[in-house]
Amino acid sequence: AFRAGAALVAAAAAAFAVPALTPAILAAAKGPALWAGLGLLSLSRYWRDPADGASPRGPPGTPAAAAGFGATLKTAWRAALHGADSQAPLESRVGGSSRAAWRDWFLGGLRAAALWLPLGMAAMIGGDLLAKPFARFADPANAAGMVSFESLLHGNLGTHLLGATAAALAAQAVTLAVFDGARALAARLGAGRAAVWIAGAAAMAVSAALILSVTTTPAVVGPLLGVEAAALWLRARSGSWLAPLALRGIFSLTSVEFARLAIHVAVGATGVLAGLPAVWTGVAVAGMILGALALSARSLRPSALLGALKSQLARVRAFGAAWSAPSADGAPKSPWTLLKLGALGGLTLYALGDLVFSAVHALAGGAEATPAVLASLLGSPADLVLANFLLVGFLEEFVFRRGLFKPLWSRLEKWGLTRKRAFWVAAVASALIFSGAHYVDYGAAMAHLGLGGGAGAAPGMAGAYAFSWGGFVSRAVLGVALAWLYAASGTLLLPIVAHFLADSLEGLGLHFGLLPFLAMSAAVLLAQRVWKRGATQRP
C-alpha cells in the first residue's frame, strides 16, 4: 500500500509540475491519482509495525489557556505547539492493525493542522510583507495568480478538489520528500542539529522553484512560501506528513472557496431562490423536535417531556466536561459527539428563531427584506453557501461570545453579582449588541472611513438588514441561547457548530426548497438516534 501510494503521488506530482510532458491519460487522471495515492499512504499506516518505545517528545500535558481576551495570540501559540507535539507519539504508536491507533493518528494529524492555522496565517502575512519590495521586479507578462478568474467563476468544488487543491498537495508532497531526504543526507554527513535547517532551506528552494514556474507575482509567491515554511516547521516538530499535508490542503481549498464566494457575490446570483413558507418551517421543525422528545421520553405526559428536555440539556454539560478533560495519552477527542450535539443545537436554534421572528411580526407588524448581497450569496453554489456560513459562525461566535459575553460575565462576577445573575446580564447585553450588529452596513462604513477605495471595493461586505422588531428580537433570543451553549459546555466549538448549522439549514432551505429542508431536519434528528454512545468521550 505504501509503495503503490507513493508511486501514484509521484506520478501525479510529475503530471502537475510538467504538464507538457504528461501523457494524455495521466493528465486526465492526475487529480484522482493524487487523492488515491494519499489515501493508500494513509492506509499503509494501519498495517505498519509500531515504533519501539515512546516518542521522545510525548505525550505532553494540556497547555493552560492564557487568561483574558488580549492573550488570545499567546493561547493560540501554545495550542499550536501542543498540537504538533501531541502528534509525535501518535505517529510512533500507529500501526499493528489497530483501528484505535489509526483513528487517533488520523484525527491527531487533522487536529495538529487545525491548531497550526493561526501560525500558518501569520506566516502568510509575513511572506506577503517580505515580498512587497520585490513587486517592482515582477514580470508584467506573468502577473497572474495560481488559479484563473474564469476557472474560479465557472469551476465547482469537485473541479477545484481535483485541480488547484490536488496541485497544492502534490507540490507539498514533493517538498516534504526533499526535506526528509536532505535532512537524512545532512545528518549522515555529520551536520548534527544543523541538518533540519539545511533540509528546510533545500525544501524551500524547491518550493520556490515550483511556485515561480507558475507565477512571479510577489503577492502570490510571498504568502505561498510563508505557508510552506509553516508546513515544514510542522513536519519537523510533529514528525508527521499527515499534518502538513492537511494544513496545505486547508489553506488551498479555503483560498479557492472564498475567492469563488467573492466573485459570485460580486457578479450576482443567476438562479432564483426556492424559498421557505415563513412560520410553517419553524412549526414543522419544532414538531419534529417535540416528536423526538416524546420518543425519548416514551410518553406524551408533560412531566416526561420535561424530563427528556432536561436530559438533553444535561448532555451539553456532560459533553463539555468530557471534551475539556485531557486524554492521558494525548489522543484527540472524537468529533462525532461535537457534530451530533451541535447539529441538534442548530436545529433547535432555527426553530426557536423562526417561531420568535414570526410571533413578534404577528404582534408588531412590519417585514424584513433580505439584503441584496445575502440573496446573491444564497443563490450561489451550495458549497459556497456553506463556506460563508462557516466563516460567519466562527467570526460571530469568536467576537460576540468569546470576545464580548465571556469577559463581561467575568467582570460582572468581580463586581459582586452572583454567577447566575451575572450570566443573564452578560448574555442579554451581548445578545442585544449581537442583534444590533446585523443592521450595520459594513461596506458603507468602510467606504466612509476611506478603506478599500470606495463602496465598490467591498461588495461582499455591503448591505444590511432593514430594521424590524421581529428580526431584532429573534436574533437577540438566539444570542442568549448561544451564550448558554458556550457557558454550559465551556468550549466555543459547540456554539460555532450550532450557529453554522442553524444558518446553513435556513440558507440551504431557501436555496433548494421545503422538501430538502425537511429532509435535512429529519436527518439531524435521525443522527441523534443512530449513534448511541451519548455525550461522554472516550478517555
Side-chain angles (χ1 to χ4, degrees):
F2 177 84
R3 290 172 180 171
L8 283 173
V9 170
F16 278 113
V18 196
L21 302 180
T22 304
I25 187 171
L26 181 56
K30 60 186 178 183
L34 187 281
W35 285 108
L38 293 177
L40 284 172
L41 287 175
S42 297
L43 287 176
S44 72
R45 309 290 289 179
Y46 176 74
W47 293 290
R48 70 184 284 271
D49 292 330
D52 295 329
S55 169
R57 190 176 284 118
T62 301
F69 183 67
T72 300
L73 292 178
K74 191 173 183 180
T75 300
W77 169 263
R78 292 177 177 175
L81 297 184
H82 176 259
D85 291 344
S86 296
Q87 184 64 10
L90 302 180
E91 293 283 339
S92 177
R93 293 198 300 265
V94 67
S97 299
S98 168
R99 286 186 295 175
W102 191 90
R103 176 192 60 206
D104 290 345
W105 165 79
F106 187 78
L107 291 177
L110 300 183
R111 175 184 64 179
L115 292 173
W116 213 259
L117 285 174
L119 291 184
M121 292 179 68
M124 278 185 66
I125 296 171
D128 183 56
L129 294 175
L130 292 174
K132 285 187 180 302
F134 298 94
R136 63 176 182 268
F137 301 114
D139 182 5
N142 192 22
M146 303 293 286
V147 185
S148 69
F149 179 89
E150 288 299 318
S151 172
L152 289 171
L153 181 61
H154 299 295
N156 55 41
L157 178 62
T159 59
H160 290 301
L161 281 172
L162 297 178
T165 302
L169 292 175
Q172 188 64 67
V174 170
T175 57
L176 289 174
V178 170
F179 177 82
D180 284 358
R183 182 166 60 171
L185 179 60
R188 180 171 295 184
L189 295 176
R193 293 185 178 181
V196 68
W197 295 100
I198 295 171
M204 288 294 291
V206 171
S207 179
L210 292 174
I211 296 170
L212 291 171
S213 68
V214 179
T215 179
T216 59
T217 305
V220 177
V221 176
L224 285 177
L225 287 177
V227 175
E228 182 65 54
L232 292 174
W233 185 12
L234 179 55
R235 162 62 182 147
R237 188 163 185 113
S238 67
S240 171
W241 269 51
L242 172 62
L245 282 169
L247 179 69
R248 183 68 175 270
I250 291 171
F251 271 108
S252 175
L253 184 59
T254 53
S255 297
V256 170
E257 284 291 278
F258 288 117
R260 291 178 60 215
L261 180 64
I263 291 172
H264 277 272
V265 170
V267 301
T270 57
V272 178
L273 294 178
L276 290 173
V279 66
W280 300 114
T281 55
V283 172
V285 173
M288 288 182 180
I289 295 173
L290 184 61
L293 281 177
L295 182 63
S296 175
R298 302 181 185 278
S299 172
L300 291 175
R301 291 178 301 164
S303 60
L305 292 175
L306 182 59
L309 176 61
K310 289 181 178 179
S311 69
Q312 292 298 319
L313 296 179
R315 289 176 63 193
V316 176
R317 299 187 187 278
F319 160 78
W323 187 268
S324 302
S327 301
D329 57 359
K333 306 290 185 180
S334 170
W336 174 245
T337 305
L338 169 65
L339 296 176
K340 188 172 65 167
L341 198 55
L344 181 59
L347 194 65
T348 306
L349 286 173
Y350 173 80
L352 179 64
D354 187 74
L355 294 177
V356 171
F357 179 87
S358 301
V360 175
H361 271 304
L363 295 173
E368 186 179 70
T370 301
V373 63
L374 181 58
S376 179
L377 164 70
L378 295 176
S380 301
D383 62 296
L384 299 184
V385 176
L386 293 175
N388 173 77
F389 286 135
L390 180 60
L391 179 63
V392 167
F394 171 77
L395 289 178
E396 290 189 347
E397 292 311 301
F398 188 82
V399 171
F400 293 104
R401 253 57 70 183
R402 174 65 179 85
L404 182 60
F405 160 71
K406 186 177 181 180
L408 182 58
W409 185 18
S410 176
R411 180 66 61 183
L412 290 172
E413 281 193 282
K414 291 180 181 179
W415 288 347
L417 272 68
T418 63
R419 183 171 180 80
K420 185 176 182 180
R421 184 171 297 178
F423 164 78
W424 284 109
V425 173
V428 171
S430 61
L432 291 174
I433 297 173
F434 163 70
S435 183
H438 287 77
Y439 302 102
V440 177
D441 189 331
Y442 295 100
M446 291 172 64
H448 181 73
L449 294 173
L451 301 175
M461 299 287 287
Y465 287 95
F467 181 83
S468 73
W469 283 110
F472 181 79
V473 174
S474 63
R475 292 187 185 93
V477 169
L478 294 182
V480 172
L482 288 163
W484 183 86
L485 281 177
Y486 183 29
S489 67
T491 173
L492 194 64
L493 288 175
L494 185 57
I496 287 174
V497 173
H499 192 150
F500 160 67
L501 288 169
D503 285 349
S504 298
L505 186 67
E506 181 177 16
L508 293 179
L510 290 169
H511 188 100
F512 292 113
L514 179 61
L515 290 180
F517 168 83
L518 295 178
M520 289 185 288
S521 302
V524 169
L525 292 175
L526 180 63
Q528 310 298 313
R529 305 289 301 175
V530 169
W531 199 288
K532 298 183 179 180
R533 289 188 178 181
T536 56
Q537 301 284 336
R538 56 188 173 80

